[in-house]
Each structure stands twice: as structure tokens, then as C-alpha cells.
């Protein structure tokens, strides 16, 4: 069964500016960010690289996780990213 929701983190570069978001349609949402049709924050700081994506059974679970991640310290987010994506590779091709 496909996930009902996703939390994701995007970056401008390794250890650069970070953006945390939630969506029901991950590939479409990341494509919006990459074409500068996502958030104004991403446009302003050139954030286009998907570095972390977490699937969730429900959109409510995804929203809850997003709120948790947004409350985290920056160092914790970097550690989370580097635990699964130490080279900060763009994961978009894996989900598109």
C-alpha cells in the first residue's frame, strides 16, 4: 500500500539552508519546489535538493512528524539526514 503522506527535508547544499515540509504527493511537490513554484522560502534560498523523505500511513501522521521536525534543533536535523544520506545526494530521481 502506498503511503498516504510524506514528510521531507530539502537543502540548498550539504549542511546549507534546510526546508521541512509535508505532502500527500511527494514527487509532484518536490517538482514544484525544483521549478520555483513551491514555497517562497525555497525560492529565496535556492533550496531544490531532496535529502530526506519519510513515508507515513496517514496524512495526519505526516503532519504530526512535520511539526516535530520543525521543532528540532538544526543539528538534530543534520544528524537525521546524514544517518540515511551521508553524501546529501538528491533523492528526487528515486521517487520520480
Amino acid at each position: 500500500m502506498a503511503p498516504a503522506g510524506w514528510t521531507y527535508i530539502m537543502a540548498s547544499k550539504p549542511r546549507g539552508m534546510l526546508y521541512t515540509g509535508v505532502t500527500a504527493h511527494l514527487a509532484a511537490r518536490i517538482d514544484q519546489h525544483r521549478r520555483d513554484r513551491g514555497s517562497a522560502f525555497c525560492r529565496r534560498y535556492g533550496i531544490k535538493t531532496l535529502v530526506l523523505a519519510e513515508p507515513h500511513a496517514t496524512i495526519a501522521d505526516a503532519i504530526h512528524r512535520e511539526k516535530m521536525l520543525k521543532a528540532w534543533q538544526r543539528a538534530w536535523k543534520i544528524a537525521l539526514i546524514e544517518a540515511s544520506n551521508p553524501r546529501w545526494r538528491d533523492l528526487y530521481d528515486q521517487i520520480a
Side-chain angles (χ1 to χ4, degrees), residues 64-82:
H64 179 72
R65 177 66 169 163
E66 179 201 28
K67 288 179 182 180
M68 287 175 45
L69 289 173
K70 285 187 173 190
W72 278 19
Q73 295 176 18
R74 177 180 168 76
W76 299 351
K77 293 176 193 178
I78 289 172
L80 178 66
I81 294 163
E82 291 183 343

Side-chain angles (χ1 to χ4, degrees), residues 12-48:
S12 60
K13 63 182 181 179
R15 294 180 170 254
M17 295 295 290
L18 300 176
Y19 175 83
T20 303
V22 64
T23 186
H25 305 286
L26 184 60
R29 183 65 176 140
I30 301 309
D31 183 57
Q32 288 175 338
H33 286 300
R34 291 166 63 103
R35 291 185 296 117
D36 288 332
R37 298 185 186 247
S39 75
F41 183 84
C42 288
R43 281 192 302 277
R44 185 177 312 122
Y45 294 104
I47 299 172
K48 296 180 186 283

